[in-house]
Amino acid sequence: MTTPKSFPEELLKTLAQYHQAHLVHWWEELDERQQDELTSQIQLIDFAQIQRLYSPTHPQKTEESPAQKAERATHPATVIRLQDRAQSAPETAQAVQAGNQLLAEGKVGAILVAGGQGSRLGFEHPKGMYPVGPVKQTSLFQILVEQLIARSRNAGKPICYFIMTSDATHAETVTYFNEHQNFGLQAEQLYFFKQGTMPAVDEQTGEILLEEKHRIAVSPDGHGGMLAALKKSGLFEVMQAKGIEYLYYHQVDNPTAIVCDPEFLGYHLQRAAEVSVKVVSKRSPDEKMGIVCDVDQKTQIIEYSDLPDHIAELTDKDGNLLHWAGSTAIHIFNRAFLEQIANDDGLLPFHQAYKKVPFIDSTGDQVSPDEPNAIKFERFIFDVLPVAETVLVYEIDRLREFNPLKNADGPDSPQTVNAALCRIHGQWLTACGVEIAEGTPVEISPLIALDESELKTRISPDDQFTAPIYLGE
Ligand code: UTP
């Protein structure tokens, strides 16, 4: 290859040193704009880090694999199960009060991660824009924002929403919010911040892949990229200045998550946890959920793909699954704890995922592989758990709170989410004395009611509704 004239000499040396000089192979064919784009992408890459992460022949043998660790997994130390809460009504009432007080004091913020590519759903826009509302086709974003607005109203204090986007979702998400006046959320309460990217490398060679001759194949760096992104965007300082000490964290794909749930906040406080995680009881040993367990006295999440079958199938003396606690990826984090981890970049490891990534081959042709050909590197936010002194593992009713949208059809699809919303809202109406036929489409905006007891204050059993039922402002 001839030395490209205007490609920075120092950078070329770096590329050569890390066996990545192929990235500028097409340099002379590129126009100036494309050359600039490629140069700035290359400047952002930490080549030493990529080399460290890609280690096909030397998979850090000294380190124990997650599957080996799983052999020592035990029950988590600090757990509150559904029946515990039901049996200790006074404690639960105190927790609700304590959570509401935190909200009223303005000590709580909410983080929504919405930077994923949503590849399984196959929707052509950011997943948060997906119309899940059974009657008004309300989007995931709108349902979640309206919950936050309603919770702020009840608390009498604005709650800030920190929404993480990525290159894949940022521009469209921000435009969508602008076009809808943020769904009623005050601009001062809304912060977008963008996560970073990581290049994809060829599984066989470790070479970084070109998606086009002037563009590197990159993807969002995982929800764990949130820590670096919060730090870089200065949002920890913003949180501090606003007196935010607790962060309710959730994912964009679950419209039935209870945003800033006061009871969860209260129990987090009462148990003096640094991190809390909402879990559901796994339906079967092979259900594809990360499990929450203790290994060497550290509470952590083991991904389902790392959990050997014989461990997943273990039962206790009553025949119940030993590792029943499936993570819903709903958390509370102490802000100071997250900040401490964000300041130590080495604490969150990168995970490798084998994926199909289209690329430009050595002859300049674009290849769309049928089989996984590349490694993507991602960080997971749940890797902060073992760093915490105390992690509260808090069981919830999955029918009420965990109905994620992941797939185009089958489980966790638009059909199941739609049915869940109709079921939950139908149950609220029934509890209010309203008779509705089974299968009636029902949608209740969070601005009308966040739960059954709030709905009771808004409607009377004599109210007449015609199907489909929509209750909104
Ligand atoms: P998933 O792991 O389910 O990924 O993300 P996804 O992008 O939604 O869907 P697939 O796997 O491509 O089909 C769980 C949550 O984490 C966010 C997603 O937006 C979703 O809210 N996420 C994921 C990020 O914010 N950034 C990432 O890099 C990855």
Side-chain angles (χ1 to χ4, degrees):
M1 195 197 317
T2 53
T3 308
K5 280 204 180 65
S6 50
F7 188 73
E9 200 57 39
E10 277 306 303
L11 216 44
L12 190 64
K13 278 191 203 149
T14 308
L15 291 184
Q17 179 189 347
Y18 290 101
H19 310 290
Q20 302 288 2
H22 65 284
L23 292 176
V24 288
H25 188 80
W26 311 102
W27 184 259
E28 310 213 318
E29 284 183 25
L30 307 182
D31 64 30
E32 211 177 313
R33 189 186 52 79
Q34 292 172 327
Q35 289 182 336
D36 287 347
E37 192 181 325
L38 183 61
T39 307
S40 35
Q41 264 198 311
I42 291 176
Q43 277 164 338
L44 287 178
I45 296 175
D46 179 344
F47 289 97
Q49 179 191 52
I50 300 296
Q51 189 178 59
R52 254 194 330 273
L53 294 174
Y54 174 80
S55 47
T57 49
H58 312 285
Q60 291 121 9
K61 288 214 174 77
T62 48
E63 255 180 44
E64 195 178 29
S65 72
Q68 284 168 318
K69 262 193 186 173
E71 300 281 343
R72 297 197 305 286
T74 59
H75 197 249
T78 309
V79 182
I80 300 176
R81 295 213 62 163
L82 272 174
Q83 71 261 29
D84 300 333
R85 285 195 276 144
Q87 283 162 7
S88 50
E91 203 193 351
T92 298
Q94 272 172 15
V96 173
Q97 204 188 2
N100 278 326
Q101 193 173 336
L102 288 182
L103 290 161
E105 288 168 353
K107 290 187 175 162
V108 181
I111 296 181
L112 176 66
V113 288
Q117 293 171 305
S119 43
R120 284 169 287 172
L121 183 63
F123 181 52
E124 59 195 17
H125 305 287
K127 204 193 263 187
M129 289 168 64
Y130 196 92
V132 286
V135 180
K136 291 277 182 184
Q137 286 74 47
T138 315
S139 67
L140 286 163
F141 275 137
Q142 181 170 352
I143 292 175
L144 297 172
V145 168
E146 288 189 355
Q147 276 208 56
L148 190 97
I149 293 171
R151 188 75 65 200
S152 298
R153 263 191 213 164
N154 290 355
K157 237 328 185 278
I159 301 170
C160 289
Y161 216 2
F162 301 92
I163 301 183
M164 183 167 85
T165 58
S166 64
D167 277 345
T169 63
H170 186 80
E172 226 182 324
T173 301
V174 172
T175 305
Y176 179 65
F177 271 75
N178 278 336
E179 281 171 1
H180 293 88
Q181 292 77 45
N182 303 333
F183 304 103
L185 190 65
Q186 297 300 313
E188 316 81 74
Q189 276 172 265
L190 180 61
Y191 295 86
F192 289 105
F193 65 107
K194 200 161 72 155
Q195 67 180 109
T197 56
M198 284 293 276
V201 304
D202 183 291
E203 188 198 358
Q204 300 292 326
T205 63
E207 284 183 358
I208 292 173
L209 294 173
L210 284 172
E211 163 187 289
E212 291 179 52
K213 289 180 178 174
H214 68 287
R215 187 170 293 146
I216 289 170
V218 293
S219 53
D221 57 358
H223 36 62
M226 175 186 110
L227 294 186
L230 280 174
K231 185 174 170 186
K232 193 169 160 203
S233 56
L235 284 176
F236 280 124
E237 284 82 10
V238 170
M239 292 170 183
Q240 243 184 64
K242 287 182 178 283
I244 295 171
E245 289 175 27
Y246 302 94
L247 292 162
Y248 171 88
Y249 165 101
H250 64 140
Q251 303 192 329
V252 75
D253 51 25
N254 180 11
T256 60
I258 301 177
V259 177
C260 297
D261 178 3
E263 188 177 322
F264 187 37
L265 283 160
Y267 270 115
H268 173 87
L269 193 70
Q270 284 180 0
R271 294 294 193 274
E274 285 165 302
V275 178
S276 290
V277 52
K278 282 192 170 182
V279 298
V280 292
S281 190
K282 272 177 70 174
R283 289 194 165 123
S284 62
D286 60 357
E287 186 175 5
K288 292 183 172 174
M289 297 188 90
I291 58 129
V292 187
C293 59
D294 274 14
V295 178
D296 307 333
Q297 282 85 51
K298 291 282 168 201
T299 303
Q300 50 204 275
I301 292 179
I302 299 184
E303 277 187 280
Y304 67 85
S305 51
D306 287 328
L307 192 67
D309 290 350
H310 69 279
I311 306 278
E313 285 158 9
L314 290 174
T315 50
D316 63 16
K317 58 179 176 18
D318 300 320
N320 299 314
L321 280 184
L322 196 65
H323 300 301
W324 58 271
S327 171
T328 64
I330 298 169
H331 296 284
I332 295 167
F333 297 116
N334 287 2
R335 194 251 314 139
F337 172 75
L338 282 192
E339 224 176 321
Q340 169 207 328
I341 297 186
N343 285 329
D344 186 348
D345 194 54
L347 274 178
L348 274 199
F350 277 94
H351 297 253
Q352 302 192 350
Y354 296 91
K355 301 270 173 167
K356 288 184 265 184
V357 175
F359 66 102
I360 301 289
D361 71 9
S362 57
T363 63
D365 287 338
Q366 196 145 29
V367 182
S368 287
D370 297 325
E371 295 298 324
N373 62 315
I375 302 175
K376 286 186 177 182
F377 300 106
E378 284 189 342
R379 278 174 159 161
F380 298 154
I381 194 64
F382 59 69
D383 280 323
V384 306
L385 264 70
V387 187
E389 277 298 316
T390 305
V391 176
L392 168 63
V393 181
Y394 180 93
E395 188 186 11
I396 54 168
D397 172 4
R398 84 193 282 158
L399 290 175
R400 166 63 186 89
E401 296 191 39
F402 187 56
N403 298 282
L405 177 64
K406 298 282 184 191
N407 306 309
D409 41 48
D412 302 336
S413 65
Q415 291 74 27
T416 62
V417 176
N418 185 295
L421 288 167
C422 288
R423 172 178 42 74
I424 295 164
H425 292 162
Q427 283 167 350
W428 295 359
L429 281 173
T430 311
C432 291
V434 177
E435 275 182 34
I436 50 167
E438 211 184 306
T440 305
V442 191
E443 184 177 339
I444 301 174
S445 159
L447 298 177
I448 294 293
L450 282 169
D451 52 33
E452 181 185 305
S453 58
E454 203 165 35
L455 190 62
K456 281 187 182 148
T457 68
R458 302 294 298 264
I459 62 168
S460 94
D462 304 328
D463 289 340
Q464 298 291 317
F465 300 98
T466 43
I469 302 173
Y470 176 75
L471 273 63
E473 279 188 345

